[in-house]
Amino acid sequence: AIPYVERGFDLFYVPCIGHGPEMLFAAKDHPNMKFHYAAALLEGDLMPKGLSKEDRKIPQNLVVTTQYADLVGCYLGGMLAGGLTKSNKIGFIGGVDYPAIKHRFNVMKMGIKEVNPDADVSFTAYVGNWIDVAKGKEIAEAMYEDGVDVIMTVADGIAKGASTFANEHKDLYMINHFYPTQEDFPETVIADVI
């Protein structure tokens, strides 16, 4: 956050878990800057274990959105995908294979199964990073060739690659989490879960 403070930014937004202590301490060190930490668990993520009661106070310039609100969006996105699919094959592309991303995919799958118990949700791929646009497009193409007609992502730049491929195939739809692409691809990106 410090380079952003030095460059004059007044809002710092982190949309994923794993950066909580840095956000907590940066907000305390820079009270004139606003911080938003999304999808955080308070105990063990935002607050390192062993902090004193005084150190556990969340400063007023830090807004924390708990994982519950984020997971509701995942569930609703899943319901949308389950109702939208015609092939009953839904794919998932993640940036990095770690528990928080798997958990989001599992909640998406629960939403899908709520409205479409017959949907095949076994198509999952991880790229290993968040920015490989070409790899996102390549994975979307492979899923499309397997009959997938809705792809859900938690993948930042990779979502752009997958959405680019979907835009070239009007019978493939996208629901992207965290990375907004609907404005760029309004005919194929059905929703951005932000």
Side-chain angles (χ1 to χ4, degrees), residues 46-188:
L46 180 66
M47 311 256 181
K49 294 186 186 326
L51 286 181
S52 70
K53 186 174 182 179
E54 183 63 30
D55 288 337
R56 293 175 54 86
K57 289 183 181 176
I58 298 173
Q60 290 185 352
N61 62 325
L62 172 59
V63 174
V64 179
T65 307
T66 63
Q67 208 168 37
Y68 176 78
D70 178 53
L71 295 177
V72 169
C74 292
Y75 188 83
L76 293 173
M79 291 180 76
L80 183 59
L84 182 64
T85 183
K86 291 185 178 26
S87 69
N88 276 345
K89 294 181 178 181
I90 300 170
F92 304 88
I93 304 175
V96 177
D97 181 2
Y98 65 50
I101 303 304
K102 287 181 181 179
H103 187 60
R104 284 179 178 86
F105 284 159
N106 287 336
V107 172
M108 290 172 183
K109 291 173 184 180
M110 290 169 51
I112 291 165
K113 293 295 188 174
E114 178 70 27
V115 297
N116 188 346
D118 297 326
D120 180 352
V121 294
S122 64
F123 302 89
T124 303
Y126 295 93
V127 174
N129 65 60
W130 302 104
I131 59 173
D132 193 337
V133 174
K135 190 70 172 176
K137 189 172 182 180
E138 177 185 317
I139 292 169
E141 181 176 7
M143 287 183 175
Y144 180 75
E145 289 173 358
D146 284 338
V148 168
D149 64 352
V150 179
I151 297 175
M152 302 185 76
T153 69
V154 181
D156 290 354
I158 294 151
K160 184 164 188 163
S163 298
T164 299
F165 179 82
N167 197 52
E168 298 164 359
H169 299 81
K170 300 303 181 192
D171 55 344
L172 177 61
Y173 298 99
M174 301 294 302
I175 299 172
N176 295 318
H177 189 71
F178 286 145
Y179 192 82
T181 59
Q182 191 175 40
E183 188 174 300
D184 295 331
F185 307 104
E187 294 180 23
T188 53

